[in-house]
Amino acid sequence: MPEIAVPAHMKPIHAKAECLYDTYFRKGENPHQTHYCPGCGHGVALKLLAEAIDELGIADRVIVVSPVGCSVFLYYYFDTGNVQVAHGRAPAAATGLKRANPEAIVIAYQGDGDLAAIGSAEILHAANRGEPITCIFVNNAIYGMTGGQMAPTTPLGGRTTTTPFGRAAHNDGYPLHVSEVLAALDGPAYIERVALGNVKQILGARRAIRKALETQMKGLGFSLVEVLSPCPTIWKMDPVEAQRRVREEMTKLYPLGVKCDRTAERQPLPAPAPAPPLEELPRILQIPEEEPAAAWAKAEGAVDCRIRVAGFGGQGVLLLGQLLAEAGMDYGLEVSWLPSYGPEMRSGTSNCHVRLSSKPIDSPLVSQPHVLIALNEPSLRKFVGAVQPGGVVLYNGTEIPADARRGDVAMYALPFFEIADREGSAKAGNLVALGALLEAVPLLPAEVVDRAMARVIRSEKWLELDRRALKRGREALRALKNEPAKEPCHA
Amino acid sequence: MTAAVKEDKGYIVINEDECKGCGLCIEACVQKVIRAAPYLNRYGYHPAVYDGRGCNGCGLCFYACPEPGAITVYKAAA
């Protein structure tokens, strides 16, 4: 290198931005040099971004979001916060980062393959919500990193590896004008398209990027700068020729200018409510403060009860299982609750697997239950064979069908829903069944179950009815037990 | 010494090892005082070099350059 002879009276006015690292990772040979190809627009775009961050003095507050594509290398350059996200998801991740850290300046830096194709939903909705983030959208009308496939932004006629005969509208659609699409929404505060086709355009881009960041700093809402950028390598052009193409061709397809600017009339968005302190969470989530009474579980040794509740949708199958699991948890047991149901809200099949155990639970699946609660006949027939010998079956009906009887399990038939109906509503039939279960298998103390019910069932009216239903279930099963065994199934 | 030589207002320093020889600074320079070196740098590019005279410190080469740290522009204090 020739000798540097800067005249003594001169001061540096343009130099490498301070918010960029001195050396970059994964550059074995020359760690001061970016990873980009000669003449790549990314270098200019990130340089302008870095300069704006320095000038605004926000480096300590900035979180840049690296997407997928050549843009990802941002994490090697910016000495700021950084999160690397899945393809196209930068605006969604940026939303979360901004909401969790309202003081942060969150910048999603994305290419056109990332933003306009796989990430089109994320950017559309972030813009529509007016999320106070800044998006730098580097558009070179091609997939660069993967070797030149057609992007949504590729011009008609553009030859790419996936459109070898040129992009045709009838087959490949039209070039997507992202800035115009987003500007049509009410959410964004500021959207401008700029280019890197010559120094004049680059200085325009510099101004726009700065304004976008200022828009976020003032809390005015969503800002996006679309940067038309050269990709000399994939375009198979030398850098000067590629710059000419940006200037003369791309700007015809994608006109430059401000697409929307509501910064003058926008009021700063209200600051999001601060997250509650950690110690407040148990109260907010209504987690009981006292330690659950785990002594019983320990004293009794091995508790491992596998319960299957089955019926059709709308019978309260899942709630029944949930109450068991909640009460078990309050009681200091390990629990699992695995619902399994069809897409219908009512009348489809519905069942759930519940495990209550004094040891850690390996699998939440209950394929051979100790207890089966069958709320209809198909469920009884389907699962009765799987019940473990010595187990318990509770069936919603007046009598166990003869061909579904087993001699090696205790089987009880009770019309749960009719009993509930007499109490006020057939809907509480699941609680009658729960009462019967607790009577047949003394798993959990009554007060523990009652406390779980009070927590899970929010409505006073229903809680009152459900408490009565539970009691009737207990009584009905006790009466059944006291009857002399007239059939072998009542073991 | 001749009084006819006007003093330059600016000066640039190009880090030749960072330069990838894209030529955009040469294209951007209005004073036409940057050119491609006839030799190659370590990475096989013809790096941009400053003539050493004629810079007015406008900074256009800095903004044209895609490398964040390849060009530093100096200017005489006003």
Side-chain angles (χ1 to χ4, degrees), chain B residues 1-8 53:
Chain B
M1 287 289 264
T2 55
V5 180
K6 240 176 97 182
E7 208 169 273
D8 287 340
R53 290 214 63 86

Side-chain angles (χ1 to χ4, degrees), chain A residues 62-358:
Chain A
V62 165
I63 303 173
V64 292
V65 184
S66 289
V68 169
C70 289
S71 321
V72 75
F73 292 131
L74 230 66
Y75 54 44
Y76 290 137
Y77 308 139
F78 278 79
D79 188 6
T80 62
N82 188 292
V83 176
Q84 202 267 316
V85 299
H87 209 352
R89 274 49 172 170
T95 297
L97 289 165
K98 182 71 181 180
R99 289 189 179 192
N101 307 279
E103 287 304 307
I105 303 297
V106 182
I107 303 165
Y109 181 97
Q110 302 178 262
D112 52 317
D114 187 70
L115 182 142
I118 193 169
S120 52
E122 281 74 12
I123 190 66
L124 189 75
H125 291 287
N128 193 42
R129 291 191 304 268
E131 291 294 341
I133 58 172
T134 299
C135 186
I136 308 297
F137 168 37
V138 181
N139 178 2
N140 56 19
I142 199 85
Y143 279 84
M145 183 176 260
T146 49
Q149 293 79 10
M150 188 197 88
T153 42
T154 299
L156 288 180
R159 288 172 189 267
T160 69
T161 58
T162 45
T163 54
F165 306 107
R167 180 177 189 170
H170 65 85
N171 197 52
D172 314 313
Y174 293 89
L176 188 61
H177 291 67
V178 172
S179 287
E180 282 81 357
V181 169
L182 298 182
L185 303 169
D186 294 328
Y190 170 63
I191 294 177
E192 180 167 355
R193 183 184 289 123
V194 297
L196 305 178
N198 57 25
V199 182
K200 189 180 170 196
Q201 290 184 341
I202 290 171
L203 292 176
R206 175 182 179 233
R207 178 192 44 71
I209 289 172
R210 189 184 161 118
K211 174 160 180 170
L213 291 180
E214 286 173 336
T215 301
Q216 179 174 172
M217 290 167 72
K218 291 175 191 161
L220 300 179
F222 180 85
S223 53
L224 178 139
V225 179
E226 176 174 346
V227 184
L228 301 181
S229 174
C231 181
T233 300
I234 300 295
W235 292 358
K236 300 183 177 63
M237 290 175 160
D238 73 50
V240 174
E241 184 66 5
Q243 212 180 38
R244 185 201 57 74
R245 184 180 175 190
V246 169
R247 191 169 62 237
E248 294 176 8
E249 296 174 32
M250 282 187 84
T251 53
K252 283 202 180 67
L253 176 61
Y254 296 111
L256 302 186
V258 176
K259 303 298 168 184
C260 94
D261 185 354
R262 303 187 178 100
T263 55
E265 66 264 25
R266 274 277 168 93
Q267 297 300 313
L269 300 169
L278 201 58
E279 50 273 19
E280 284 285 292
L281 288 181
R283 188 186 57 76
I284 293 165
L285 298 174
Q286 298 185 343
I287 297 168
E289 280 182 27
E290 69 268 34
E291 280 292 303
W296 177 82
K298 280 183 191 135
E300 293 291 315
V303 175
D304 183 11
C305 190
R306 300 166 192 233
I307 303 163
R308 193 77 178 260
V309 189
F312 56 77
Q315 283 186 315
V317 168
L318 303 187
L319 177 66
L320 204 172
Q322 194 191 348
L323 285 171
L324 275 170
E326 292 272 348
M329 195 158 56
D330 285 356
Y331 200 47
L333 294 171
E334 302 283 334
V335 303
S336 68
W337 172 72
L338 182 73
S340 166
Y341 49 87
E344 311 90 340
M345 287 299 283
R346 294 283 181 272
S347 80
T349 61
S350 172
N351 71 83
C352 67
H353 311 234
V354 177
R355 286 191 65 181
L356 307 174
S357 175
S358 49

Side-chain angles (χ1 to χ4, degrees), chain B residues 57-74:
Chain B
C58 69
L60 295 185
C61 57
F62 176 82
Y63 287 106
C65 176
E67 281 302 310
I71 299 179
T72 307
V73 182
Y74 293 80

Side-chain angles (χ1 to χ4, degrees), chain A residues 398-415:
Chain A
T398 48
E399 198 182 1
I400 306 273
D403 56 342
R405 291 177 189 173
R406 277 177 61 181
D408 58 343
V409 296
M411 301 183 94
Y412 303 103
L414 281 170

Side-chain angles (χ1 to χ4, degrees), chain A residues 433-455:
Chain A
L434 179 60
L437 164 69
L438 294 169
E439 193 65 28
V441 187
L443 260 179
L444 301 161
E447 64 275 10
V448 174
V449 176
D450 192 67
R451 193 169 57 182
M453 279 172 65
R455 189 171 66 248

